[in-house]
């Protein structure tokens, strides 16, 4: 059983809260604060109840352009919350412990990027994670641990699985809500339709296999790069540009996996037409008529596919979306994603799998969904029936 904030008496208690505010950055700071906003409920509740809150989070990966300090994040949280949020440029050193000890009831401090330390970018079993410098260094300053970082829950890193081995662990409101929705898919209304797109081909094929074999899906629609891989698996001549892109991304094995699924499950659908760029314009071509030599890869599904998929989505009791239907960032190729997502939002029960999918609905201005997940990889793992290390650590 996982304890939640309902089980926590936190007045005057030093609470370590792991959140996921990994965000796109601009030259002037945060380019999108959606993930920060998601955690406002948990942080506000703890602070209103008199907790002394030490916030743990990460930004980017070592070597990437978005690997940075959390100063901008602290400033934005201070604006979003009705409570003081300070910033500390240490995570588990004596300076960090002293800063946490100085907190008054109802105050918070955002500690430095956990991934500035090599241990956090490695994965350990929970017992070993509890012995890392990161956990051992900060535990003496804390009384309890709250994990609200659902978007990172598929990682077995020290800040996610180590602290619950040494401190009483609780799920924050984001974590609680995500588990309530995504772990109970089998209870949602039918017909149940999955729309899988985007570029996380391996994860999406895994989800398709899991939900089809477990009888959770009545139909699985494919689009985006996932759809292109499934088209190649079906024997379609997708054109040299699309095929080369798939192969360059290292998806040879995924074509074989998709082929096995197509042979075993009629419920798995592939696009009937695609859109390519020609002389700077959108051209839609039926898959059966694609010329072998194409200068650009398929960038979106075509209108015939949108119509066929929309008819299935119209009749669905539940729709689960993960991944866009095309290169939605370019208006010329946003048509498939916009139309399919808009139709999906009208279902009685509609779930958005987070990550690029959530970014797409924000960019396209589509709302009305029953639930928008904060986690891409984590939601995919849960939808595929996999366990999440950070959730297991809380359960223990």
């Amino acid at each position: 059983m996982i304890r939640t904030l309902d089980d926590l008496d936190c007045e005057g208690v030093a609470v370590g809260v792991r959140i996921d505010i990994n965000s796109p950055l601009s030259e002037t700071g945060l380019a999108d604060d959606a993930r920060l906003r998601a955690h406002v409920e948990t942080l506000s509740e703890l602070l209103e109840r008199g907790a002394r809150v030490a916030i743990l989070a990460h930004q980017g990966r070592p070597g990437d352009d978005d690997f940075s300090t959390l100063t901008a994040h602290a400033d934005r949280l201070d604006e979003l919350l009705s409570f003081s949020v300070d910033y500390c440029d240490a995570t588990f050193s004596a300076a960090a412990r002293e800063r946490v000890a100085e907190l008054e009831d109802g105050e918070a401090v955002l500690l430095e990027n956990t991934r500035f330390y090599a241990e956090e970018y490695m994965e350990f079993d929970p017992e070993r994670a509890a012995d890392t410098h990161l956990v051992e260094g900060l535990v003496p300053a804390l009384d309890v641990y709250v994990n609200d970082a659902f978007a990172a829950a598929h990682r077995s890193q020290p800040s996610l699985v180590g602290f619950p081995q040494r401190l009483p662990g609780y799920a924050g409101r984001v974590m609680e809500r995500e588990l309530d929705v995504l772990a109970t898919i089998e209870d949602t209304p039918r017909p149940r339709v999955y729309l899988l797109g985007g570029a996380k081909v391996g994860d999406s094929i895994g989800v398709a296999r899991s939900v089809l074999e477990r009888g959770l899906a009545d139909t699985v629609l494919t689009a985006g790069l996932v759809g292109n891989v499934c088209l190649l698996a079906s024997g379609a001549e997708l054109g040299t540009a699309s095929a080369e892109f798939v192969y360059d991304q290292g998806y040879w094995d995924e074509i074989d996996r998709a082929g096995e699924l197509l042979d075993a499950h009629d419920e798995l659908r592939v696009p009937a037409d695609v859109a390519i760029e020609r002389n700077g314009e959108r051209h839609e071509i039926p898959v059966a008529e694609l010329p072998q030599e194409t200068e650009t890869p398929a960038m979106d599904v075509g209108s015939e596919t949108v119509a066929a998929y929309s008819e299935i989505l119209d009749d669905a009791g539940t729709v689960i979306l993960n991944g866009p239907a095309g290169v939605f960032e370019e208006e010329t190729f946003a048509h498939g994603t916009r139309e399919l997502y808009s139709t999906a939002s009208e279902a009685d029960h509609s779930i958005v799998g987070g990550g690029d999918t959530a970014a797409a609905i924000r960019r396209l201005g589509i709302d009305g969904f029953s639930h928008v997940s904060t986690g891409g990889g984590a939601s995919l793992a849960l939808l595929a029936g996999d366990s999440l290390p950070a959730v297991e650590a809380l359960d223990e």
Side-chain angles (χ1 to χ4, degrees):
M1 179 178 178
I2 296 176
R3 292 173 293 195
T4 70
L5 299 189
D6 294 334
D7 305 304
L8 175 59
D9 183 4
C10 58
E11 184 174 359
V13 171
V15 183
V17 184
R18 178 60 159 99
I19 62 177
D20 192 324
I21 50 177
N22 189 31
S23 305
L25 304 181
S26 67
E27 293 182 359
T28 57
L30 296 172
D32 186 334
D33 67 356
R35 281 192 164 175
L36 284 80
R37 291 178 178 276
H39 295 290
V40 165
E41 180 183 1
T42 293
L43 295 173
S44 292
E45 180 176 346
L46 288 169
L47 293 167
E48 285 173 0
R49 292 165 57 186
R52 299 182 294 114
V53 177
I55 306 170
L56 290 157
H58 72 275
Q59 173 62 51
R61 299 179 179 182
D64 288 353
D65 292 339
D66 63 350
F67 189 50
S68 74
T69 70
L70 299 182
T71 53
H73 304 69
D75 290 343
R76 186 62 183 133
L77 284 173
D78 190 59
E79 294 171 354
L80 291 171
L81 296 170
S82 300
F83 301 87
S84 173
V85 179
D86 201 358
Y87 162 74
C88 177
D89 63 355
T91 306
F92 61 89
S93 64
R97 292 191 296 272
E98 290 171 4
R99 183 64 191 89
V100 174
E102 293 169 355
L103 290 172
E104 299 289 340
D105 294 356
E107 288 185 347
V109 60
L110 177 59
L111 301 176
E112 187 54 280
N113 190 340
T114 57
R115 288 186 178 174
F116 277 9
Y117 308 97
E119 290 176 324
E120 179 67 1
Y121 199 59
M122 302 165 67
E123 300 211 9
F124 305 90
D125 62 67
E127 293 76 15
R128 175 66 183 86
D131 292 333
T132 57
H133 295 288
L134 175 65
V135 175
E136 285 193 333
L138 193 57
V139 158
L142 303 175
D143 299 311
V144 299
Y145 170 79
V146 171
N147 193 340
D148 208 33
F150 174 78
H154 56 309
R155 310 291 186 190
S156 189
Q157 295 165 335
S159 70
L160 296 159
V161 301
F163 284 102
Q165 312 305 310
R166 305 285 293 274
L167 297 168
Y170 300 81
R173 296 307 185 194
V174 170
M175 180 73 77
E176 180 185 7
R177 186 161 49 247
E178 296 277 16
L179 296 177
D180 284 345
V181 173
L182 298 177
T184 56
I185 291 293
E186 65 273 13
D187 298 328
T188 57
R190 305 193 83 137
R192 195 176 298 126
V193 178
Y194 285 71
L195 174 58
L196 302 178
K200 292 184 177 179
V201 176
D203 291 341
S204 294
I205 297 297
V207 169
R209 178 184 296 279
S210 175
V211 298
L212 289 169
E213 291 180 349
R214 293 159 60 202
L216 292 177
D218 296 290
T219 308
V220 175
L221 309 173
T222 63
L225 190 56
V226 178
N228 291 352
V229 168
C230 288
L231 281 169
L232 289 170
S234 72
E237 295 289 345
L238 200 53
T240 52
S242 292
E244 287 176 358
F245 184 80
V246 168
Y247 294 141
D248 288 345
Q249 297 299 307
Y251 291 137
W252 293 80
D253 293 341
E254 303 305 335
I255 295 174
D256 293 336
R257 292 177 65 206
E260 293 171 1
L261 282 180
L262 287 165
D263 289 340
H265 299 281
D266 293 336
E267 306 95 325
L268 183 62
R269 307 294 176 84
V270 298
D273 59 345
V274 296
I276 65 171
E277 182 179 358
R278 185 178 293 163
N279 298 324
E281 297 182 349
R282 176 189 178 100
H283 285 264
E284 295 186 0
I285 306 174
V287 170
E289 299 176 14
L290 272 170
Q292 184 58 26
E293 296 297 327
T294 52
E295 296 179 0
T296 60
M299 305 280 278
D300 192 13
V301 293
S303 299
E304 184 180 344
T305 301
V306 169
Y309 282 11
S310 294
E311 187 174 343
I312 294 170
L313 294 170
D314 278 335
D315 294 334
T318 300
V319 177
I320 298 98
L321 302 177
N322 206 290
V327 186
F328 70 91
E329 297 89 346
E330 298 183 26
E331 182 58 32
T332 304
F333 299 105
H335 174 72
T337 302
R338 179 182 288 110
E339 293 302 313
L340 293 175
Y341 281 18
S342 295
T343 302
S345 70
E346 298 173 1
D348 291 340
H349 199 73
S350 52
I351 298 170
V352 176
D356 290 340
T357 324
I361 67 171
R362 290 195 298 272
R363 185 184 183 99
L364 298 175
I366 304 170
D367 54 22
F369 296 97
S370 306
H371 178 75
V372 179
S373 177
T374 58
S379 62
L380 276 172
L382 205 56
L383 291 172
D386 296 334
S387 60
L388 300 178
V391 174
E392 286 190 339
L394 288 178
D395 199 16
E396 292 174 356

